[in-house]
Every structure is written in C-alpha cells, then in structure tokens.
Amino acid sequence: MFPYPSGNLHIGHLRTYTIADVLARFRRMQGHDVLFPMGWDAFGLPAENAAIERGVDPASWTRANIETMRDQLQSMNAAFDWSRELTTCDPSFYKHTQHIFLMLYEQNLAYRNLALVNYDPVDKTVDANGFSWRSGARVEKIRLNQWFLRITDFKEALLKDLEQLTHGNRWPERVLAMQRNWLGRSDGWRITFKVQTDSSLGEIQETVEVFTTRADTMCGPQYLALSLSHPIVKRAAIQHSSLRSFLETAPSLADNSKAGFLLPGISAINPLSLADNAPIHVHDPLPVYVAPYVLENYGVGAVVGCPGHDTRDHAFWKENRRHEEIRQLVTSVSRSSLREQGNQEIDVNKAAFTSHGVMTQICCQYAGLSSEEASAKIISDLNSAGDFAEPTQTWRLRDWLISRQRYWGTPIPIIHCTACGTVPVPVADLPVELPKLTGEWFLRKGGNPLELATDWVNTKCPKCGGSAKRDTDTMDTFVDSSWYFMRFPDCNNGAEPFSPEIVDEWLPVGLYIGGIEHAILHLLYARFITKFLNKTSQWPSGGGPGNKGEPFNELITQGMVHGKTFSNPANRQFLKPEELDLIDPSTPRVKATGESPVVSWEKMSKSKYNGVDPQACFDKYGADATRAHMLFQAPISDIVQWEEDRIVGIHRWFGRVWRIVEKLSLQLDSATALSSREQMSMPTVSSMSVQERVVWSAVQTAIDSVTNALSRTYALNTYISDLIKLSNALSTTAITSTAVSYNSISALLRMLAPVAPAFSEECWERLHSAMPSERIDSIFLSSFPSREQFHVEHSQTCAVQENGKLRFTVSVAKPSTNLSSQESEEHFAKWMLAQIEVTEEGKRWFASKKDKVWKRVVCVRGGRTVNFVG
C-alpha cells in the first residue's frame, strides 16, 4: 500500500516496505516479471492543517514531504520502480479519478442527497464522531447535501466473492471476517406492529414495521423505539414542545447514548396478541420511545426492544425504566431441567442473555421449545393471525459518502446550473484543477476555501452555456486509493485511466501488503471500484473468468511496531528521552526523582516520545542490518516490539558471513588454476568427505525452508533464522573441497540477497574477485538457488540419546548400505560418532560432556538412533 507523505519515514513504513522488497527481489531472482512501483496517497487533512497553522501552500508542503520521504525510501535499499511513481494530488492523476467518478455518475452510481452528518461547526466541514480532531469543537449532526457512491448495489458480490479469497489462505481469515462484519448481512423478519394514539393526537391508528433476527423474543418485547426522523416522531413533534427540544439536543449526544423520549399518548400492540393461546403479557400495550440509537437507514427506522436478550436494549431499559422488571424469555437450561431449576442461573435484570436457548415458562405455549423451534412457530402464528411477519434481509453496509468540505482533495467534477440542474463536466474538460491559493490565504481559517474562490466557482454550464457554479466539495481520499494500483502498469496514459490490455498483463495484483488498520474500508472500496470497472469497457476481463473483478490475489497484513515507552510512576505521564537516565539501559531511572519508570510497549506516537527514526538506525548499523533485524524479531502478522540494541546481533552475523567469504576468497587467490565458476562444479557424492556431505545437506535443507518461507508461509523470521543457522554451519565445519565451499557460500549469498542487497552484492563481488576470467555481474542477475535431490538421498535425521533419553536430533549424512549392514558394530558406531561430532548440535553437546566416558555406543535403525550408554 502506498504511503501518505507525512514528511518522515517511520518504523512502520520500514516494516511494510522491507517485507515487500524482500518478496519482490525473491520473485525476480526466480525469473518472474515483477512490478514493484511506489506512489503517494497525497491528498488529506494533514497538508491542509499545515496550511491553516503555518500559512503554507498545501501543494508545496506535500511536495517537500515527498522529496524527504523518497530520499529515505531510497536509503533503505529497496528496489522500487521509480519510473512509475505517481502522486494522487497531481492533476495528471486526479484527472482520471474524476473520470471514474463520471463513469459512476453515468450509471446512477454516484448521486447527491441530503444526509445526517457529523459536522465541525468551527472548521465547517464533515468530521468524525465526538470532538473534531482539528478544532477540538464538539461535532454536531446536521443535514447537508452530500455525494454518495452506491456501493450497496454491489453488496451481494462483495460478500459472495470473499469466498474465493479463502481458498489457499489467499487473504487472512481475520480480514475476511472483518469484511463480512462490515457488510453485515442479517437474515430475519419484518414484523408489523399496530400503533395507536390517544384523542389529543386524533386517535390515529397506523402500523410500524420493525426488523428482528430473534423472532423467539416476540412473545415478550417490552417497548418500541423509533428513529429521530420517523414519520410518527415528526408528527408528534408538532404537538409536543418537549419532544422538539429533545430532537434538537439529540444530535449532540454521544454515539453510545441510550437517552430516550417517551412519546405521550402513543402505544404499540404486539401482533402476537391476535394469535390463539398467546401469552397473557403480550396483550399489554408497549410504550413507544424516540431513541437516537435507532438508525434511520438501518432496517425501517424502528426497533422492537427486548431488554432481557439484547445488550443495547438492556442498557436503554435500565436508563429509561430502571425500576421495572425485565422479562426473561429464553434460558440456557435444557428442556428436562427447565421445570426443575426454574431459570435461577440467569438474572436478566443484571445483564442480557443474548444466546439462543430454551423458552421459559412465561412463554406459555412456547415454553420448553428451543429458540429455533419457537421462532418458527411464532412466525407461523403471526401470519395465521394476519400476515404480520415477512422474511427479509438487512445489511449494515451503507452507500459511501465521499463529500468533504475541504480544499486539499480531488474536486468533484460537477457543475450546478439553475436552468439545467446538476451537469457533469465533460470528460474532454478534465481535469477540474484546484485553484492556486497562496499559503497566507489559509492561515487560521476554517471551512472550505473553495466556496470563496469565486473566480474558480463561477463558470459556464457545459449544456446551456449559462452562468453556473462548480461543486465545491472534494472527494474522500479513499476514492484516490481505491484504484491507484490500476494506474501503475499504464502510468503515462493521458487519454484514459489505463489501457485494459496493459492492465490485464498485471492485474489482479499478485501480492498486496499493508497494515491491518486498512482491512475494512480501503480494501472494501477498492473491491467495489474494481468490480464496477469490470462492468465497463475499462476492465471487461475483470482479471479473468475466475477472478470476478477482485483487485488483490493475495494479501499480507503485517502487525504494528511498538516502541519502548517510559512513564512517570507518580502520575503516569509519558517521559521524554532527556528526562531519563539510560546510562545502564537495563535499569533506567527518572532523572528528577531517581525512581524506576514504568516501562511498557506502546504504539509509536509523538505524544508518547517512543518513536524511532529509521534513518538513525541506517546511519548507525546500515540499512541491510536494520531490515534483517526487523524481519527477524517476529512473524509478520505479529506486533514487533522494537529493540534497537539487538540489531548488533544481526551486525555480528553479517561479520561471520563476511569472514566465510573472505576465507574462501583467499583460498581462490592462491588457487591460480581456478579462474571461473565453470570450474566450480560440485564433486560427486562419493568423493565428498563426511563433513562436506553434512554441509551440502544443510544447504539443501536451508534452500527448501527459505523458499517455502518466501513463497508460501511468509514466515520471514524463520527465513532469517535459517540463514543464520546455515552460515554458522559453514563457519564451523572443515571443508577441503573448494567447489563445495564455493557452491555452499554462493547459495547462502543468493538466499541472503533479498533482505541484505547491498551487503550481499559486496560479498558476491569479493567472492568472484579472485577469478580473473570471471565477469562480476550483480548477484540479482543470478537465479535463486533451487533444492537438489541430494538432501533426500544423502542425509537423514539422527536421534541422539543418552541412556535411552533423547538429547537432540541432528541431520547427518546417510550411511551407505554396505556400511550399515556389513561393517562391524564398532566400526559403524565410530562412523556415526564422526558424523555427529561435526554438526553444530553435536559440538555443543560433546563440549558439555568433555569428561564423560561412555561404556558403549549403540546404533540402531541404520543410524537413525544413536544411544550413548554409560
């Protein structure tokens, strides 16, 4: 995923792009064509905030940040294709974002409508919930004309096609679950209640429809709640000033507020009361409330309240009718114990029981039935009494609101004409560019600058030629990021967003990498846009018949990077580095008091003073060592607790690798007969020493494990550990064959190259510098090593025991049939002992037993088990 140009590369960027770079380099070395571009998600609030606070031009601020971050990305040794670099705030890019918007508009998938939005009254823009993060003002809920994209038209495909992404673990199950939950399909019933009013409101009888997934609770609901904009509420507000006051203040309530307004003189009748043998309590009229927690655009703007079996309803009831008992309709006890236990194990007055179970005794004819059985019977009874229940489906997904009342975003290409109405800007007139405004214009101003840019706003209608005005909203930045990846293959195309033929060569994206925080909206919007484009001439293939317009074939979501955080034990305030005594890092102290600070691992942020500058790590340890350390610390989906002082371990490992290379290079310098790689062909197995066979077997094991980690499991921490283990074996094993040494070290360096490109190049050049007739090409022009059959045919696992107890297992050379079957037991034991002694595990174990004398060594199962007895 491309970054926002905030101004500095942070450690989270380093993790994301190290993972991507390693996998891209690996695939290239395997012979694949790899497109690994970079771009900038450059629109957004931070640039506009900088303009407001400092009086700078958002474009200039963004360009400066891009220059800084580009330099930092280049210093991390990543092999990005900078020739395809794109920036979403460049008119050459957002021209095509506007074109895609017009394509949606033509298909009636982009529309303008009044919507209740969270509005910052100071900055005069749509904002998040609660308090504005920019002005600090409490947001208000007001109705504004806003632009929407009709993503709900694609809800079925967006849900159904997640199934294909489960195959082969192409997408993490956690992400798929988050997508399903956001789409939020609920299968249930639409139940019709009769609502009656007293004479003060004209004794009107009408119906209210509610949606429920729990028909079993219809034998005892305790209230109805209506949304703020429900027609009944609007009519009642005409008569009741207190209701009008409640409606005026309700938008400022917290999102989780359970405030309610009891509608006077209005009650609802449970339709189950009309069924035969219905429980007595269902005949009681139900109070009707106005409740902000009821969404006007979910279901039908009304809910039936069952406080005993819904957490939200329980909280509402406790706040509004706290002294009244809550009915328990469902219990968890079995049918046989229902009468015996009397439902004593659950108290719904304390907490809602939300699981399915068995109907309680107060449910009369439904008592003892399971929730599923009771639901079926209640639905049948409702329809027998008068067709009061209808199966239906609701979705959590809402159309995508893309309007922003801000300057720094893609202008919406629409013109408003008093004569012609809403008129799209002709494609030939794109892009609609943002007007050039000086930085001073923004200084300490709120609202949308475009509204006051009269020279830009006032224009001519493209249909009638009369006076008209441009739409002053800009698009949500998610619109830019919903299709940017399709632009990379054809980034210089000025006529259209991309050529379908060129995009077909590269899409769907083979591997997409980014943080779990983007698992819902960014991915969902990208899937929507590509599925839409699949229905147009822009991408008719949709990536092939089995792809169904999905944008990303495989997805990796890496975990966050947490920093070591210090806080004052007295007040829990975060401490700055200069407030700490870190002379001994193992025992930090608060300078002011001498106390030990509270140490924790937290998400990195400026306010916690726990951020890490990757450039400082590059300067101190080198980019390659920093990259390898990042991968080595944890599996890629886990949180990394960043400990810079441990990079020294990777640094020491690189030193061992360099010494291995240097040692062989010196040998090659003295071997004047060896002048090229062709003379380094591997000897036959029979001519290898025991140690050489063990080493070559270890090389094949590493190749197999590393290839699996880089192509299937993405266990990049084990990738690093495998290379460390192999390099340790090479540095501690005596090898007499120069060819075996060369091929083993060559394989090690080629496997190391994706994570440590600069260091591997240096080692590669040194390795071949002693071959006068050998042209030294980049290591990345060499192929990634592939596993040979040697590993299977010439090595085996040996279990080493002491007095019958397993001590360790180790890979050793496989003995020949003659050796294991014809030689004497003593001779074979000596041979196996020699095999074990040269391994790293064997050396450590024998070192710990240096004074030990064994009575005998027993080898069984052809050397697969060796037992030291004594």
Side-chain angles (χ1 to χ4, degrees), residues 74 174 204 209 258 294 299 319 359 368 371 386 393 410 445 472 502 522 586 609 630 640 643 698 747 766 834 845:
Q74 289 171 338
R174 178 185 177 190
I204 300 171
E209 293 181 335
K258 294 301 179 285
V294 181
E319 182 160 334
M359 307 306 290
S371 291
Q393 191 181 81
T410 299
K445 292 182 180 179
T472 57
I502 293 177
H522 166 57
S586 63
Y609 312 110
M630 175 63 81
V640 163
E643 296 183 86
R766 180 68 185 101
W845 192 67

Side-chain angles (χ1 to χ4, degrees), residues 183-215:
L183 291 165
R185 188 180 75 181
S186 297
D187 295 304
W189 294 269
R190 182 179 284 115
I191 310 294
T192 302
F193 283 74
K194 289 184 177 179
V195 174
Q196 57 189 15
T197 59
D198 64 17
S199 57
S200 67
L201 294 174
E203 296 187 358
I204 300 171
Q205 275 205 355
E206 57 183 295
T207 60
V208 169
E209 293 181 335
V210 301
F211 172 80
T212 183
T213 59
R214 293 290 303 271

Side-chain angles (χ1 to χ4, degrees), residues 13 31 92 165 321 854:
H13 289 132
S92 66
L165 300 176
R321 301 179 86 95
W854 286 282

Side-chain angles (χ1 to χ4, degrees), residues 254-326:
D255 280 353
N256 61 353
S257 170
K258 294 301 179 285
F261 183 92
L262 179 64
L263 290 175
I266 299 180
S267 60
I269 302 301
N270 187 338
L272 195 60
S273 63
L274 302 177
D276 295 336
N277 302 316
I280 295 175
H281 56 261
V282 302
H283 296 276
D284 298 337
L286 301 178
V288 180
Y289 282 87
V290 182
Y293 83 86
V294 181
L295 304 178
E296 63 180 80
N297 54 1
Y298 179 79
V300 285
V303 299
V304 56
C306 299
H309 304 287
D310 183 277
T311 302
R312 180 190 56 184
D313 296 349
H314 189 278
F316 182 85
W317 187 264
K318 282 294 184 182
E319 182 160 334
N320 292 279
R321 301 179 86 95
R322 66 187 63 189
H323 300 299
E324 294 189 31
E325 186 177 2
I326 295 176

Side-chain angles (χ1 to χ4, degrees), residues 664-676:
L664 178 58
S665 297
L666 293 174
Q667 292 176 4
L668 294 174
D669 285 338
S670 61
T672 54
L674 297 173
S675 61
S676 68

Side-chain angles (χ1 to χ4, degrees), residues 10 52 74 84 110-111 151 163 170 199 254 263 270 331 347 379 427 470 594 622 635-636 655 681 731 756 793 821:
H10 60 67
I52 292 170
Q74 289 171 338
R84 298 176 185 270
Y111 66 96
I151 189 174
E163 182 62 29
R170 289 166 55 185
S199 57
L263 290 175
N270 187 338
T331 185
D347 185 357
I379 293 298
V427 173
R470 296 190 187 279
I636 59 175
S681 57
S731 65
E793 297 175 354
S821 63

